[in-house]
Amino acid sequence: MSLLAVNNLAIATGGHDLVADLSFAIEPGQRLGLIGESGSGKSLTAMAISGLLPPAIVPRGSVTLDGVEVIGAPERKLNKLRGAASAVVFQEPLTALDPLMKLGRQLAEPLRRRFRREGRDLAGIEAETIALLERVSLPQPQRIANAYPYEVSGGQRQRVAIAMALACRPKLLIADEPTTALDVTTQAEILALLDSLVRDLGMALLFISHDLPVVSTIVDQVLVLRQGRMVETGPVKSVLGTPTQQYTQSLVAAARAFDTALGAR
Amino acid sequence: MTTIELDRPARRSAASLTFIVGLILVGLHVAIALLTLVWTPYDPSSTAGGRLEAPSLLHWAGTDRLGRDLFTQIMIGSRIALQVGIGAVGIGAAIGVTIGVLAAFATRLLDDALAAAFDILIAFPTLLLAMLVVAASDTASLWSAILALGIALSAIVGRLTRILAKRVLQMDFITAARTSGTSWPRIVVIHILPNIWPTLMVNFALQFGLAAIAEASLSYLGLGAPPPNASWGRLLQEAQGTVYTAPFGAIAPGLALLVLVIGINLFADGLRDVGDPTRRRSR
Amino acid sequence: MSILSLDQVNFGYTSKARVLNEVSFEVERGANLGIVGESGSGKTTLLRLLLGLERPTSGTINFGSVQLDPRDANFMRRYRRAVQMVFQDPYSSLDPRQRVRDIIAEPLQSLRIEGNHDEAVAAALTEVGLPADAVRRYPHEFSGGQRQRIAIARAIVARPQLVLADEAVSALDLSTRVRIVELLKQLGHTMTLVLVSHDLGVVAALCPRIVILERGIVVEAGDTATILAAPQHPYTRKLIASVPRMPA
């Protein structure tokens, strides 16, 4: 059974569909890239999967995550699902973290939930916090745990945000443009980190981005979205190598233009 | 980022509805205030009927304890409330916006000093400040009350203006204006004021309501417009003794004040929406 | 011939920490220059110096043969006319309360440039590929790419020699980005572009010359193709290796 199965998902507000007829599945350990430009509905789709859509926006169809139907599920049921089944890493690590709470304490929150779920002794949380910060390759984890979000760099904040997502031990990691706000060299480091974490922990990955080269470095399968509709899907190599749809072809041509300008690697 | 468009037409028609209701309520007060300059149902200072009569067709709001027509008094009170509101907000806006914009541009030290001055003035209760100014002037007159309230309001307007102007100053279009060679005074006129205007507008309306209420309070305490000016506050104060036997004497001026304050707020909300190109349907 | 030349420019907001350290390079007429740096490289400060919004702590910036001096109002008026700017965020760089006509005409008005302003605005709009009826509309009625076109129209309306662009395409969607880069490329025929960016791909597509900035120091400068093919400095090598590439 698929870890995530999206069937005929439609997301509507005020009578018109922002996303329609969207179906895809992610198997345990699989990596899917959701490619789209602004207005494609890629972030809405991620929100629908995590049950985070605002009340004015209504999803239809079916989203089953770890065997549980998400659409129409009560908040209590969704809460159980979040963390255990899926966790999200957002684009902007500064707004995703509470500015007034030390990073260590923020990280301890999801850990506490998982420890309760697993019936473990809560005394181990502090050690686990440090271990997690080490796991996302942060230097001086003790210092980071005692720092506030504004006291560390953007790349370090994103590492903490990833650590928070990992704290839940999710089966599916949803990353919504996690490197868009970062510098090129930091982006390369974060991508490498995500790649190794997903592999080592056996998580599935839903990676959302508008950046073709970035997506292609980290996923196996891609799905191209445009104005809420699926354009094309398949393995990275074939979709980005020999795109069949005109829209995908134009995106690939655009990305290749910059790639070619950089010369041979 | 995905931005989500909510149902815009519905919101827009609701906005224009509040604007129209506000316009009617404020317009009614303005019309009545202007009317009192040429005509009132009865002579405000002479007896027109029996004492403490209940509202009737002859006396829509009843009569006071001297037998004067209350509706006539309320109509005149409307003029005083508008005079105070416009005067106090006008003074507050002129001083507050000027100093607020200056503070936004000032050096760190002057800016801090001005910000602190605003805070201290705001920490002082508006009414108490106004009472002090009125008490300090020899004769309690309508104008000393207006001046007092205007000064108190200028601190609130000044602080808001400073914060809003600082926010606009950080926008790239200000840098663009500077690199286009636009002078600072012109930047204030064509970029800063238009961008902070909508928020100030709503704030002015709130201040207007506050000023009207504060004037009523001053009059109630005997520090406002002296007789024969029939301020709503003085009407309330005079009705105090007979509130159990003739409640309409207190209810009527209170209602008039309530309608004016609500009207002005709805009007300001609507005005903000109408004045904002991003909220207006184009083409 | 160089339009701008920087000679050992230093800058620090406080006396201790230097944001720019001994920065020297030249902008030559007709050769677009890319200034590549990441956060903390000092590229934003460098832009502010080039715009005359700040003065170097030491060192000189020469415009032609004259030294750039923000305090000289007469000189600055000529300089502003010759050097215009395009910003990264097309939402913050256009005043939401002005009509497009007034936005684009602002340099003409403020620099008191003679001639028919409406015609100049119309010509600039045509050049950036926007319809003539855009003049009556407000920024919020346009998409991000269109707004960046409006910002470019404002930058070129006074016919400057130099356009400084701060990450001018990085906030845009890929397909829009390609079109704006194409537009900037065409403008390069009549004016010189200095593009400050962290995006090597965009810089490589637009600029034959490149300056690599790391923590306020120019670590490498010269011909773009040469540097991309054989980077000398370790930071340049790391930067190039970090750019994600399309699958073969």
Side-chain angles (χ1 to χ4, degrees), chain B residues 194-283:
Chain B
N195 275 287
I196 67 177
W197 197 244
T199 315
L200 283 181
M201 207 59 209
V202 177
N203 193 257
F204 290 162
L206 285 173
Q207 311 293 356
F208 193 105
L210 279 182
I213 292 169
E215 193 282 326
S217 314
L218 284 175
S219 298
Y220 181 84
L221 297 169
L223 291 167
N229 290 318
S231 152
W232 291 337
R234 203 163 53 73
L235 293 180
L236 281 167
Q237 190 232 336
E238 284 175 1
Q240 185 172 247
T242 55
V243 73
Y244 293 111
T245 50
F248 45 86
I251 292 170
L255 213 58
L257 183 58
L258 185 74
V259 169
L260 177 63
V261 172
I262 290 178
I264 206 91
N265 277 290
L266 293 178
F267 177 69
D269 260 4
L271 203 62
R272 178 191 57 193
D273 292 350
V274 171
D276 185 349
T278 63
R279 293 185 191 222
R280 194 167 50 203
R281 199 195 306 268
S282 46
R283 279 168 291 171

Side-chain angles (χ1 to χ4, degrees), chain A residues 4 24 26 32 34 46 49 172-176 204-208:
Chain A
L4 172 72
F24 63 90
I26 299 181
L32 175 73
L34 214 52
I49 292 168
L172 171 69
L173 183 66
I174 302 173
D176 189 357
L205 177 69
L206 177 62
F207 193 96
I208 297 162

Side-chain angles (χ1 to χ4, degrees), chain C residues 33-48:
Chain C
L33 175 76
I35 300 176
V36 178
E38 300 190 293
S39 42
S41 63
K43 58 183 175 173
T44 309
T45 305
L46 183 56
L47 257 181
R48 291 184 68 81

Side-chain angles (χ1 to χ4, degrees), chain B residues 172-173 182 191 194-195 198 277, chain C residues 80 92 95 97 106 110 140-141:
Chain B
D172 285 342
F173 62 78
T182 310
H191 293 300
N195 275 287
Chain C
R80 297 254 176 263
S92 163
D95 187 337
R97 301 201 154 248
E106 184 165 357
S110 295
H140 72 95
E141 298 174 49

